[in-house]
Amino acid sequence: MIRNKVYELRTAARMTQEDLARRLRVTRQTIISLEKNKYIPSLEMGFKVARLFGKAVEEVFEYGEE
């Protein structure tokens, strides 16, 4: 399972879901699903998210077996 820290990073940056969606050029619904770990982004989107927050991909996304 892939988990992420998007919610934590977004709230620490004082961004709304709409702000993040706009910056990533996706819908707010995509951000909601991403934060709930119900959406696994493409590799390209993963890099965009990580770079937006100044993090390595591994600092934002984590793979673990259930």
Short mmCIF file of all heavy atoms in Angstrom, two decimals:
data_model
loop_
_atom_site.label_atom_id
_atom_site.label_comp_id
_atom_site.label_asym_id
_atom_site.label_seq_id
_atom_site.Cartn_x
_atom_site.Cartn_y
_atom_site.Cartn_z
N MET A 1 0.85 -1.18 0.00
CA MET A 1 0.00 0.00 0.00
C MET A 1 0.88 1.24 0.00
O MET A 1 1.90 1.28 0.67
CB MET A 1 -0.91 -0.02 1.22
CG MET A 1 -1.64 1.28 1.45
SD MET A 1 -2.79 1.20 2.82
CE MET A 1 -4.28 1.27 1.88
N ILE A 2 0.47 2.22 -0.74
CA ILE A 2 1.19 3.49 -0.77
C ILE A 2 0.45 4.49 0.10
O ILE A 2 -0.75 4.69 -0.05
CB ILE A 2 1.32 4.02 -2.21
CG1 ILE A 2 2.17 3.05 -3.03
CG2 ILE A 2 1.93 5.41 -2.21
CD1 ILE A 2 2.35 3.43 -4.46
N ARG A 3 1.18 5.09 1.01
CA ARG A 3 0.64 6.14 1.87
C ARG A 3 1.37 7.43 1.56
O ARG A 3 2.48 7.40 1.03
CB ARG A 3 0.82 5.78 3.34
CG ARG A 3 0.09 4.53 3.74
CD ARG A 3 -0.15 4.51 5.24
NE ARG A 3 -1.03 3.43 5.59
CZ ARG A 3 -2.36 3.53 5.62
NH1 ARG A 3 -2.94 4.66 5.33
NH2 ARG A 3 -3.10 2.51 5.97
N ASN A 4 0.76 8.54 1.90
CA ASN A 4 1.43 9.82 1.64
C ASN A 4 1.22 10.79 2.78
O ASN A 4 0.39 10.57 3.65
CB ASN A 4 0.93 10.41 0.31
CG ASN A 4 -0.51 10.87 0.38
OD1 ASN A 4 -0.81 11.86 1.02
ND2 ASN A 4 -1.41 10.14 -0.25
N LYS A 5 1.99 11.86 2.75
CA LYS A 5 1.92 12.90 3.77
C LYS A 5 1.43 14.22 3.18
O LYS A 5 1.77 15.29 3.67
CB LYS A 5 3.31 13.10 4.37
CG LYS A 5 3.83 11.86 5.07
CD LYS A 5 5.22 12.07 5.61
CE LYS A 5 5.69 10.79 6.28
NZ LYS A 5 7.06 10.88 6.73
N VAL A 6 0.61 14.14 2.16
CA VAL A 6 0.14 15.34 1.47
C VAL A 6 -0.66 16.23 2.41
O VAL A 6 -0.46 17.44 2.45
CB VAL A 6 -0.65 14.99 0.20
CG1 VAL A 6 -1.25 16.23 -0.43
CG2 VAL A 6 0.25 14.27 -0.80
N TYR A 7 -1.57 15.65 3.18
CA TYR A 7 -2.38 16.45 4.10
C TYR A 7 -1.50 17.22 5.08
O TYR A 7 -1.67 18.43 5.27
CB TYR A 7 -3.37 15.56 4.86
CG TYR A 7 -4.13 16.33 5.92
CD1 TYR A 7 -5.21 17.13 5.58
CD2 TYR A 7 -3.74 16.28 7.26
CE1 TYR A 7 -5.89 17.85 6.55
CE2 TYR A 7 -4.41 16.99 8.23
CZ TYR A 7 -5.48 17.78 7.87
OH TYR A 7 -6.14 18.51 8.83
N GLU A 8 -0.55 16.52 5.68
CA GLU A 8 0.33 17.15 6.67
C GLU A 8 1.15 18.27 6.04
O GLU A 8 1.29 19.35 6.62
CB GLU A 8 1.27 16.11 7.30
CG GLU A 8 0.56 15.09 8.17
CD GLU A 8 0.01 13.88 7.40
OE1 GLU A 8 0.02 13.88 6.14
OE2 GLU A 8 -0.44 12.94 8.06
N LEU A 9 1.70 18.01 4.86
CA LEU A 9 2.51 19.02 4.18
C LEU A 9 1.67 20.22 3.75
O LEU A 9 2.08 21.37 3.88
CB LEU A 9 3.22 18.41 2.97
CG LEU A 9 4.28 17.36 3.31
CD1 LEU A 9 4.69 16.60 2.06
CD2 LEU A 9 5.48 18.01 3.97
N ARG A 10 0.46 19.93 3.23
CA ARG A 10 -0.41 21.02 2.77
C ARG A 10 -0.84 21.91 3.93
O ARG A 10 -0.77 23.14 3.83
CB ARG A 10 -1.66 20.43 2.08
CG ARG A 10 -2.63 21.51 1.62
CD ARG A 10 -3.87 20.91 1.00
NE ARG A 10 -4.66 20.10 1.89
CZ ARG A 10 -5.47 20.57 2.85
NH1 ARG A 10 -5.58 21.87 3.07
NH2 ARG A 10 -6.18 19.74 3.60
N THR A 11 -1.24 21.30 5.04
CA THR A 11 -1.70 22.12 6.17
C THR A 11 -0.53 22.87 6.81
O THR A 11 -0.71 24.01 7.25
CB THR A 11 -2.45 21.27 7.21
OG1 THR A 11 -1.62 20.20 7.65
CG2 THR A 11 -3.75 20.74 6.64
N ALA A 12 0.65 22.27 6.85
CA ALA A 12 1.83 22.97 7.38
C ALA A 12 2.18 24.18 6.52
O ALA A 12 2.65 25.19 7.03
CB ALA A 12 3.02 22.02 7.47
N ALA A 13 1.89 24.07 5.23
CA ALA A 13 2.16 25.18 4.30
C ALA A 13 1.00 26.18 4.26
O ALA A 13 1.03 27.15 3.49
CB ALA A 13 2.42 24.64 2.90
N ARG A 14 -0.02 25.91 5.06
CA ARG A 14 -1.22 26.77 5.13
C ARG A 14 -1.88 26.96 3.76
O ARG A 14 -2.28 28.06 3.39
CB ARG A 14 -0.89 28.11 5.76
CG ARG A 14 -0.45 27.95 7.19
CD ARG A 14 -0.28 29.25 7.88
NE ARG A 14 0.02 28.96 9.29
CZ ARG A 14 0.12 29.88 10.19
NH1 ARG A 14 -0.05 31.13 9.88
NH2 ARG A 14 0.38 29.55 11.43
N MET A 15 -1.97 25.84 3.06
CA MET A 15 -2.63 25.84 1.75
C MET A 15 -3.98 25.15 1.88
O MET A 15 -4.13 24.22 2.66
CB MET A 15 -1.79 25.05 0.73
CG MET A 15 -0.46 25.64 0.42
SD MET A 15 0.54 24.53 -0.63
CE MET A 15 -0.31 24.70 -2.16
N THR A 16 -4.94 25.62 1.12
CA THR A 16 -6.22 24.93 1.06
C THR A 16 -6.11 23.81 0.01
O THR A 16 -5.18 23.79 -0.79
CB THR A 16 -7.36 25.88 0.65
OG1 THR A 16 -7.12 26.33 -0.69
CG2 THR A 16 -7.46 27.08 1.59
N GLN A 17 -7.09 22.94 0.03
CA GLN A 17 -7.12 21.90 -1.00
C GLN A 17 -7.24 22.54 -2.37
O GLN A 17 -6.63 22.08 -3.33
CB GLN A 17 -8.29 20.94 -0.75
CG GLN A 17 -8.08 20.07 0.46
CD GLN A 17 -9.29 19.23 0.78
OE1 GLN A 17 -10.43 19.60 0.47
NE2 GLN A 17 -9.05 18.10 1.42
N GLU A 18 -8.00 23.59 -2.47
CA GLU A 18 -8.17 24.31 -3.74
C GLU A 18 -6.85 24.93 -4.19
O GLU A 18 -6.52 24.88 -5.39
CB GLU A 18 -9.26 25.38 -3.60
CG GLU A 18 -9.63 26.04 -4.91
CD GLU A 18 -10.26 25.08 -5.91
OE1 GLU A 18 -11.03 24.20 -5.52
OE2 GLU A 18 -9.97 25.23 -7.11
N ASP A 19 -6.10 25.52 -3.26
CA ASP A 19 -4.78 26.09 -3.60
C ASP A 19 -3.88 25.01 -4.20
O ASP A 19 -3.24 25.22 -5.23
CB ASP A 19 -4.08 26.66 -2.37
CG ASP A 19 -4.76 27.87 -1.78
OD1 ASP A 19 -5.47 28.59 -2.52
OD2 ASP A 19 -4.59 28.09 -0.55
N LEU A 20 -3.81 23.88 -3.53
CA LEU A 20 -2.94 22.80 -3.99
C LEU A 20 -3.40 22.27 -5.34
O LEU A 20 -2.59 22.05 -6.24
CB LEU A 20 -2.89 21.68 -2.95
CG LEU A 20 -1.98 20.49 -3.28
CD1 LEU A 20 -0.55 20.95 -3.53
CD2 LEU A 20 -2.03 19.47 -2.16
N ALA A 21 -4.69 22.08 -5.48
CA ALA A 21 -5.24 21.60 -6.75
C ALA A 21 -4.89 22.54 -7.89
O ALA A 21 -4.46 22.11 -8.97
CB ALA A 21 -6.76 21.45 -6.64
N ARG A 22 -5.02 23.82 -7.65
CA ARG A 22 -4.72 24.81 -8.68
C ARG A 22 -3.24 24.74 -9.07
O ARG A 22 -2.91 24.78 -10.26
CB ARG A 22 -5.09 26.21 -8.18
CG ARG A 22 -5.14 27.25 -9.26
CD ARG A 22 -5.66 28.61 -8.78
NE ARG A 22 -6.97 28.51 -8.12
CZ ARG A 22 -7.19 28.78 -6.84
NH1 ARG A 22 -6.21 29.20 -6.06
NH2 ARG A 22 -8.39 28.68 -6.33
N ARG A 23 -2.37 24.64 -8.08
CA ARG A 23 -0.93 24.61 -8.36
C ARG A 23 -0.50 23.34 -9.08
O ARG A 23 0.45 23.36 -9.87
CB ARG A 23 -0.15 24.78 -7.06
CG ARG A 23 -0.35 26.19 -6.49
CD ARG A 23 0.36 26.37 -5.21
NE ARG A 23 1.74 26.78 -5.49
CZ ARG A 23 2.59 27.16 -4.56
NH1 ARG A 23 2.22 27.18 -3.30
NH2 ARG A 23 3.80 27.53 -4.87
N LEU A 24 -1.21 22.25 -8.84
CA LEU A 24 -0.89 20.98 -9.50
C LEU A 24 -1.71 20.77 -10.78
O LEU A 24 -1.52 19.77 -11.48
CB LEU A 24 -1.13 19.81 -8.54
CG LEU A 24 -0.22 19.76 -7.32
CD1 LEU A 24 -0.66 18.66 -6.37
CD2 LEU A 24 1.24 19.56 -7.74
N ARG A 25 -2.64 21.67 -11.02
CA ARG A 25 -3.52 21.59 -12.19
C ARG A 25 -4.35 20.31 -12.20
O ARG A 25 -4.41 19.59 -13.19
CB ARG A 25 -2.73 21.74 -13.48
CG ARG A 25 -2.08 23.10 -13.57
CD ARG A 25 -1.35 23.27 -14.84
NE ARG A 25 -0.72 24.61 -14.80
CZ ARG A 25 -0.22 25.21 -15.83
NH1 ARG A 25 -0.27 24.64 -17.01
NH2 ARG A 25 0.34 26.38 -15.72
N VAL A 26 -4.96 20.05 -11.05
CA VAL A 26 -5.89 18.93 -10.90
C VAL A 26 -7.13 19.47 -10.20
O VAL A 26 -7.18 20.63 -9.80
CB VAL A 26 -5.27 17.77 -10.07
CG1 VAL A 26 -4.05 17.19 -10.79
CG2 VAL A 26 -4.92 18.19 -8.66
N THR A 27 -8.12 18.62 -10.01
CA THR A 27 -9.33 19.05 -9.32
C THR A 27 -9.16 18.94 -7.81
O THR A 27 -8.31 18.19 -7.32
CB THR A 27 -10.55 18.20 -9.74
OG1 THR A 27 -10.34 16.86 -9.30
CG2 THR A 27 -10.75 18.23 -11.25
N ARG A 28 -9.98 19.64 -7.11
CA ARG A 28 -9.99 19.55 -5.65
C ARG A 28 -10.34 18.12 -5.22
O ARG A 28 -9.82 17.60 -4.24
CB ARG A 28 -10.98 20.55 -5.06
CG ARG A 28 -11.00 20.55 -3.55
CD ARG A 28 -11.87 21.69 -3.00
NE ARG A 28 -12.13 21.44 -1.60
CZ ARG A 28 -13.25 20.86 -1.14
NH1 ARG A 28 -14.21 20.50 -1.96
NH2 ARG A 28 -13.40 20.66 0.15
N GLN A 29 -11.22 17.48 -5.98
CA GLN A 29 -11.61 16.11 -5.69
C GLN A 29 -10.40 15.17 -5.74
O GLN A 29 -10.29 14.25 -4.94
CB GLN A 29 -12.69 15.64 -6.68
CG GLN A 29 -13.41 14.39 -6.23
CD GLN A 29 -14.19 14.60 -4.94
OE1 GLN A 29 -14.76 15.66 -4.71
NE2 GLN A 29 -14.21 13.59 -4.09
N THR A 30 -9.48 15.43 -6.66
CA THR A 30 -8.25 14.64 -6.75
C THR A 30 -7.43 14.80 -5.48
O THR A 30 -6.90 13.82 -4.94
CB THR A 30 -7.42 15.05 -7.98
OG1 THR A 30 -8.19 14.80 -9.16
CG2 THR A 30 -6.10 14.30 -8.04
N ILE A 31 -7.33 16.02 -4.97
CA ILE A 31 -6.58 16.27 -3.74
C ILE A 31 -7.24 15.56 -2.56
O ILE A 31 -6.56 14.96 -1.73
CB ILE A 31 -6.45 17.79 -3.46
CG1 ILE A 31 -5.75 18.50 -4.63
CG2 ILE A 31 -5.73 18.04 -2.13
CD1 ILE A 31 -4.37 17.97 -4.97
N ILE A 32 -8.55 15.62 -2.49
CA ILE A 32 -9.28 14.94 -1.42
C ILE A 32 -8.97 13.44 -1.44
O ILE A 32 -8.64 12.85 -0.42
CB ILE A 32 -10.80 15.18 -1.54
CG1 ILE A 32 -11.13 16.65 -1.25
CG2 ILE A 32 -11.59 14.25 -0.62
CD1 ILE A 32 -12.54 17.06 -1.64
N SER A 33 -9.05 12.83 -2.61
CA SER A 33 -8.77 11.40 -2.75
C SER A 33 -7.32 11.09 -2.42
O SER A 33 -7.02 10.08 -1.78
CB SER A 33 -9.10 10.93 -4.17
OG SER A 33 -10.48 11.04 -4.42
N LEU A 34 -6.42 11.94 -2.84
CA LEU A 34 -4.99 11.75 -2.56
C LEU A 34 -4.73 11.79 -1.06
O LEU A 34 -4.05 10.92 -0.52
CB LEU A 34 -4.19 12.83 -3.28
CG LEU A 34 -2.68 12.78 -3.19
CD1 LEU A 34 -2.13 11.50 -3.78
CD2 LEU A 34 -2.08 13.98 -3.91
N GLU A 35 -5.30 12.77 -0.38
CA GLU A 35 -5.10 12.90 1.06
C GLU A 35 -5.69 11.74 1.85
O GLU A 35 -5.20 11.40 2.92
CB GLU A 35 -5.69 14.22 1.56
CG GLU A 35 -4.89 15.42 1.10
CD GLU A 35 -5.42 16.74 1.62
OE1 GLU A 35 -6.52 16.79 2.20
OE2 GLU A 35 -4.72 17.74 1.44
N LYS A 36 -6.73 11.12 1.31
CA LYS A 36 -7.35 9.97 1.98
C LYS A 36 -6.72 8.65 1.56
O LYS A 36 -7.22 7.59 1.92
CB LYS A 36 -8.85 9.94 1.67
CG LYS A 36 -9.62 11.07 2.32
CD LYS A 36 -11.08 10.97 2.00
CE LYS A 36 -11.85 12.06 2.70
NZ LYS A 36 -13.30 11.96 2.44
N ASN A 37 -5.64 8.73 0.79
CA ASN A 37 -4.95 7.53 0.28
C ASN A 37 -5.87 6.64 -0.56
O ASN A 37 -5.71 5.43 -0.59
CB ASN A 37 -4.32 6.73 1.42
CG ASN A 37 -3.16 7.46 2.03
OD1 ASN A 37 -2.19 7.77 1.36
ND2 ASN A 37 -3.27 7.77 3.32
N LYS A 38 -6.82 7.26 -1.25
CA LYS A 38 -7.72 6.52 -2.13
C LYS A 38 -7.31 6.69 -3.59
O LYS A 38 -7.92 6.12 -4.47
CB LYS A 38 -9.15 6.98 -1.93
CG LYS A 38 -9.66 6.63 -0.55
CD LYS A 38 -11.11 6.93 -0.40
CE LYS A 38 -11.52 6.57 1.01
NZ LYS A 38 -12.84 6.03 1.07
N TYR A 39 -6.30 7.50 -3.82
CA TYR A 39 -5.82 7.77 -5.18
C TYR A 39 -4.30 7.66 -5.16
O TYR A 39 -3.64 8.29 -4.35
CB TYR A 39 -6.25 9.17 -5.61
CG TYR A 39 -5.60 9.67 -6.88
CD1 TYR A 39 -5.93 9.13 -8.11
CD2 TYR A 39 -4.65 10.69 -6.84
CE1 TYR A 39 -5.33 9.58 -9.28
CE2 TYR A 39 -4.06 11.16 -8.00
CZ TYR A 39 -4.40 10.60 -9.21
OH TYR A 39 -3.81 11.06 -10.36
N ILE A 40 -3.78 6.83 -6.04
CA ILE A 40 -2.33 6.70 -6.18
C ILE A 40 -1.94 7.51 -7.41
O ILE A 40 -2.35 7.17 -8.53
CB ILE A 40 -1.90 5.23 -6.32
CG1 ILE A 40 -2.31 4.46 -5.07
CG2 ILE A 40 -0.39 5.14 -6.55
CD1 ILE A 40 -2.10 2.99 -5.17
N PRO A 41 -1.17 8.57 -7.22
CA PRO A 41 -0.84 9.42 -8.36
C PRO A 41 0.17 8.76 -9.30
O PRO A 41 0.87 7.83 -8.92
CB PRO A 41 -0.22 10.65 -7.69
CG PRO A 41 0.39 10.13 -6.44
CD PRO A 41 -0.56 9.04 -5.99
N SER A 42 0.22 9.28 -10.50
CA SER A 42 1.24 8.83 -11.45
C SER A 42 2.60 9.23 -10.90
O SER A 42 2.72 10.06 -9.99
CB SER A 42 1.02 9.50 -12.80
OG SER A 42 1.26 10.90 -12.71
N LEU A 43 3.63 8.66 -11.46
CA LEU A 43 4.99 8.99 -11.05
C LEU A 43 5.25 10.48 -11.28
O LEU A 43 5.83 11.16 -10.43
CB LEU A 43 5.99 8.14 -11.83
CG LEU A 43 7.46 8.29 -11.46
CD1 LEU A 43 7.68 8.01 -9.98
CD2 LEU A 43 8.29 7.35 -12.31
N GLU A 44 4.79 10.99 -12.41
CA GLU A 44 4.97 12.41 -12.71
C GLU A 44 4.29 13.29 -11.66
O GLU A 44 4.88 14.25 -11.17
CB GLU A 44 4.41 12.73 -14.10
CG GLU A 44 4.57 14.18 -14.49
CD GLU A 44 4.01 14.50 -15.87
OE1 GLU A 44 3.35 13.64 -16.48
OE2 GLU A 44 4.24 15.62 -16.33
N MET A 45 3.06 12.95 -11.30
CA MET A 45 2.33 13.72 -10.29
C MET A 45 3.03 13.61 -8.94
O MET A 45 3.12 14.59 -8.20
CB MET A 45 0.89 13.23 -10.17
CG MET A 45 0.08 13.96 -9.11
SD MET A 45 -0.15 15.72 -9.44
CE MET A 45 -1.19 15.63 -10.87
N GLY A 46 3.54 12.45 -8.62
CA GLY A 46 4.27 12.28 -7.37
C GLY A 46 5.47 13.20 -7.28
O GLY A 46 5.72 13.83 -6.25
N PHE A 47 6.21 13.31 -8.38
CA PHE A 47 7.36 14.22 -8.41
C PHE A 47 6.91 15.68 -8.29
O PHE A 47 7.54 16.47 -7.60
CB PHE A 47 8.17 14.03 -9.69
CG PHE A 47 9.19 12.93 -9.59
CD1 PHE A 47 8.96 11.71 -10.18
CD2 PHE A 47 10.37 13.13 -8.89
CE1 PHE A 47 9.89 10.68 -10.10
CE2 PHE A 47 11.32 12.10 -8.80
CZ PHE A 47 11.07 10.89 -9.40
N LYS A 48 5.81 16.03 -8.95
CA LYS A 48 5.31 17.40 -8.87
C LYS A 48 4.93 17.76 -7.44
O LYS A 48 5.23 18.85 -6.97
CB LYS A 48 4.10 17.59 -9.80
CG LYS A 48 4.46 17.66 -11.25
CD LYS A 48 3.20 17.85 -12.09
CE LYS A 48 3.54 17.93 -13.56
NZ LYS A 48 2.32 18.11 -14.39
N VAL A 49 4.25 16.85 -6.77
CA VAL A 49 3.84 17.09 -5.38
C VAL A 49 5.07 17.27 -4.50
O VAL A 49 5.17 18.23 -3.73
CB VAL A 49 2.96 15.93 -4.85
CG1 VAL A 49 2.72 16.06 -3.35
CG2 VAL A 49 1.63 15.88 -5.59
N ALA A 50 6.01 16.35 -4.64
CA ALA A 50 7.23 16.41 -3.82
C ALA A 50 7.99 17.71 -4.06
O ALA A 50 8.40 18.39 -3.11
CB ALA A 50 8.12 15.21 -4.11
N ARG A 51 8.17 18.08 -5.29
CA ARG A 51 8.91 19.31 -5.61
C ARG A 51 8.20 20.55 -5.12
O ARG A 51 8.84 21.49 -4.67
CB ARG A 51 9.15 19.40 -7.12
CG ARG A 51 10.22 18.45 -7.57
CD ARG A 51 10.56 18.62 -9.02
NE ARG A 51 11.62 17.68 -9.37
CZ ARG A 51 11.90 17.31 -10.59
NH1 ARG A 51 11.20 17.79 -11.61
NH2 ARG A 51 12.86 16.46 -10.83
N LEU A 52 6.89 20.54 -5.20
CA LEU A 52 6.11 21.69 -4.71
C LEU A 52 6.39 21.95 -3.24
O LEU A 52 6.49 23.10 -2.82
CB LEU A 52 4.62 21.44 -4.94
CG LEU A 52 3.69 22.56 -4.50
CD1 LEU A 52 3.74 23.70 -5.52
CD2 LEU A 52 2.28 22.05 -4.36
N PHE A 53 6.57 20.89 -2.48
CA PHE A 53 6.82 21.03 -1.05
C PHE A 53 8.31 21.00 -0.70
O PHE A 53 8.68 21.04 0.47
CB PHE A 53 6.08 19.95 -0.26
CG PHE A 53 4.58 20.11 -0.28
CD1 PHE A 53 3.78 19.19 -0.93
CD2 PHE A 53 3.97 21.20 0.33
CE1 PHE A 53 2.40 19.34 -0.96
CE2 PHE A 53 2.60 21.37 0.30
CZ PHE A 53 1.81 20.43 -0.35
N GLY A 54 9.17 20.93 -1.72
CA GLY A 54 10.61 20.93 -1.48
C GLY A 54 11.10 19.66 -0.80
O GLY A 54 12.03 19.70 0.01
N LYS A 55 10.47 18.55 -1.13
CA LYS A 55 10.81 17.27 -0.52
C LYS A 55 11.21 16.25 -1.58
O LYS A 55 10.87 16.40 -2.75
CB LYS A 55 9.59 16.69 0.24
CG LYS A 55 9.01 17.59 1.29
CD LYS A 55 9.87 17.61 2.51
CE LYS A 55 9.24 18.43 3.62
NZ LYS A 55 10.13 18.60 4.74
N ALA A 56 11.90 15.21 -1.16
CA ALA A 56 12.15 14.06 -2.02
C ALA A 56 10.87 13.24 -2.09
O ALA A 56 10.05 13.27 -1.17
CB ALA A 56 13.28 13.21 -1.45
N VAL A 57 10.69 12.52 -3.17
CA VAL A 57 9.48 11.71 -3.34
C VAL A 57 9.29 10.77 -2.14
O VAL A 57 8.18 10.60 -1.64
CB VAL A 57 9.54 10.91 -4.66
CG1 VAL A 57 8.38 9.93 -4.76
CG2 VAL A 57 9.54 11.84 -5.86
N GLU A 58 10.39 10.20 -1.66
CA GLU A 58 10.32 9.26 -0.55
C GLU A 58 9.90 9.91 0.77
O GLU A 58 9.47 9.23 1.69
CB GLU A 58 11.68 8.57 -0.33
CG GLU A 58 12.12 7.71 -1.49
CD GLU A 58 12.84 8.50 -2.59
OE1 GLU A 58 13.01 9.74 -2.47
OE2 GLU A 58 13.21 7.88 -3.58
N GLU A 59 10.03 11.23 0.85
CA GLU A 59 9.59 11.94 2.05
C GLU A 59 8.09 12.20 2.02
O GLU A 59 7.49 12.48 3.07
CB GLU A 59 10.33 13.27 2.18
CG GLU A 59 11.80 13.13 2.45
CD GLU A 59 12.49 14.47 2.50
OE1 GLU A 59 12.75 15.04 1.42
OE2 GLU A 59 12.76 14.95 3.62
N VAL A 60 7.49 12.12 0.85
CA VAL A 60 6.06 12.39 0.70
C VAL A 60 5.27 11.08 0.57
O VAL A 60 4.21 10.93 1.16
CB VAL A 60 5.78 13.29 -0.52
CG1 VAL A 60 4.30 13.56 -0.67
CG2 VAL A 60 6.56 14.59 -0.42
N PHE A 61 5.81 10.15 -0.19
CA PHE A 61 5.13 8.89 -0.46
C PHE A 61 5.92 7.73 0.13
O PHE A 61 7.14 7.70 0.07
CB PHE A 61 4.96 8.68 -1.97
CG PHE A 61 4.14 9.75 -2.60
CD1 PHE A 61 4.73 10.87 -3.15
CD2 PHE A 61 2.75 9.65 -2.63
CE1 PHE A 61 3.96 11.87 -3.74
CE2 PHE A 61 1.98 10.65 -3.19
CZ PHE A 61 2.59 11.76 -3.76
N GLU A 62 5.20 6.77 0.71
CA GLU A 62 5.83 5.63 1.36
C GLU A 62 5.12 4.36 0.95
O GLU A 62 3.88 4.29 0.95
CB GLU A 62 5.70 5.86 2.87
CG GLU A 62 6.02 4.72 3.75
CD GLU A 62 5.76 5.11 5.20
OE1 GLU A 62 6.28 6.13 5.67
OE2 GLU A 62 5.03 4.37 5.86
N TYR A 63 5.89 3.36 0.58
CA TYR A 63 5.33 2.06 0.21
C TYR A 63 5.54 1.09 1.35
O TYR A 63 6.62 0.97 1.89
CB TYR A 63 5.99 1.52 -1.06
CG TYR A 63 5.53 0.14 -1.41
CD1 TYR A 63 4.28 -0.04 -1.99
CD2 TYR A 63 6.29 -0.97 -1.15
CE1 TYR A 63 3.83 -1.32 -2.31
CE2 TYR A 63 5.86 -2.25 -1.46
CZ TYR A 63 4.62 -2.42 -2.04
OH TYR A 63 4.17 -3.67 -2.35
N GLY A 64 4.47 0.39 1.69
CA GLY A 64 4.57 -0.62 2.74
C GLY A 64 3.59 -1.73 2.47
O GLY A 64 2.53 -1.52 1.90
N GLU A 65 3.96 -2.90 2.88
CA GLU A 65 3.08 -4.05 2.71
C GLU A 65 2.08 -4.07 3.85
O GLU A 65 2.41 -3.72 4.96
CB GLU A 65 3.91 -5.32 2.70
CG GLU A 65 5.06 -5.23 1.73
CD GLU A 65 5.15 -6.41 0.81
OE1 GLU A 65 4.37 -7.35 0.97
OE2 GLU A 65 6.01 -6.37 -0.06
N GLU A 66 0.87 -4.47 3.54
CA GLU A 66 -0.16 -4.50 4.60
C GLU A 66 -0.06 -5.74 5.42
O GLU A 66 0.33 -6.77 5.06
CB GLU A 66 -1.54 -4.42 3.98
CG GLU A 66 -1.85 -3.02 3.50
CD GLU A 66 -3.29 -2.87 3.14
OE1 GLU A 66 -4.12 -2.79 4.08
OE2 GLU A 66 -3.60 -2.84 1.97
#
